[in-house]
Amino acid sequence: QGQSRPRRSPAAPRGAAPGGTMGKVIRGQRKGKGGIFTSHTRLRKGAAKLRKISYAEREGYTKGVIKEIMHDPGRGAPLLWVQFRHPYRHARVNELFVAPEGVASGGFLYCGKKAALTIGNVLPLKSIPEGTVVCNVENQAGDRGKIAKCSGDYVVVVSHDVDAGTTRIRMPSGMKKTVKSECRAMIGLVAGGGRTDKPMLKAGRAYHKYRVKRNEWPKVRGVAMNPVEHPFGGGNHQHIGHPSTSKRISSAGQKVGLIAARRTGRLTGNKKGGKVGKD
């Protein structure tokens, strides 16, 4: 009865780790939660995808008209607004494609196995000869395009294996990949190439570039922070002080730098031709 009740601990300061422990929630943990770091999507035109596969596309071709070439905020490549006839009803179907270099509004675009090999047309890889430059390639048949969709990107058809039903392609990174020959691709390379060749020159251009993407600029380096804010922080000189690699099973506050790196150091070999040695 004579003992006083234990005093409640004060609330943890803002940004402190949960449970009132020492340390701080670092930037990587805050980004994973979302909040102010989510992408700015309100003004975007929509997802750029190929048509849903249809009977006409599998057996012949279908024609679409390019209504407009438009800019999509936060995307380097322009988009095509293409209108197709509905296969079963009296209606129009609107699609958004990544624009290849060389197409114009008001032109026609054909999708299907028997479409001509001209820029903008969509064909399965088995109908495209070796050495052709393509973009907007499907990774798996029917996924409506996943590979080479950034401005200036392209994929080269390397070879076909008719018996296995696969096609070997060279990715924009130079790596070679094998995909199913039923996967579709758009002829040509993505428009807007050379965008990164022009230097930013001033902070205002970087501000406007990332303003329409998400909150990721300016980015403070970890070595410039205090030890409480980042594993690389602190010290009399700006240095990491230990290996910058971290384990896959590291806790969230430690998972910075090169996460679960298979290798570190410079990449050697020709980018377009792949690594030196076996492909």
Side-chain angles (χ1 to χ4, degrees), residues 117-268:
L117 196 74
T118 55
I119 289 177
N121 288 358
V122 179
L123 292 83
L125 287 172
K126 62 185 178 183
S127 301
I128 299 174
E130 298 171 358
T132 308
V133 171
V134 295
C135 62
N136 207 359
V137 186
E138 289 182 328
N139 191 29
Q140 294 179 345
D143 68 12
R144 303 179 69 182
K146 301 290 181 188
I147 304 170
K149 297 174 73 173
C150 298
S151 56
D153 274 4
Y154 62 91
V155 161
V156 178
V157 179
V158 177
S159 62
H160 297 291
D161 188 342
V162 180
D163 297 331
T166 58
T167 298
R168 191 89 162 146
I169 59 174
R170 191 166 72 232
M171 310 274 277
S173 62
M175 189 184 81
K176 292 187 175 68
K177 183 180 176 71
T178 303
V179 295
K180 292 283 187 182
S181 296
E182 286 80 21
C183 294
R184 294 173 293 169
M186 181 179 279
I187 308 298
L189 55 93
V190 183
R195 175 175 52 87
T196 57
D197 295 343
K198 183 180 178 182
M200 287 278 190
L201 291 180
K202 58 182 188 177
R205 288 182 184 154
Y207 165 79
H208 287 293
K209 175 186 176 179
Y210 292 105
R211 179 179 61 87
V212 292
K213 289 178 180 287
R214 64 200 68 83
N215 179 16
E216 60 174 334
W217 185 89
K219 186 176 289 184
V220 179
R221 293 167 297 127
V223 292
M225 298 182 188
N226 294 314
V228 73
E229 292 152 350
H230 200 277
F232 294 171
N236 286 339
H237 301 281
Q238 287 190 3
H239 70 293
I240 297 175
H242 53 83
S244 60
T245 53
S246 59
K247 299 177 185 176
R248 175 78 68 201
I249 60 172
S250 296
S251 58
Q254 294 174 323
K255 209 177 242 190
V256 295
L258 302 170
I259 299 169
R262 291 189 178 92
R263 54 154 294 161
T264 59
R266 287 177 173 270
L267 290 172
T268 57

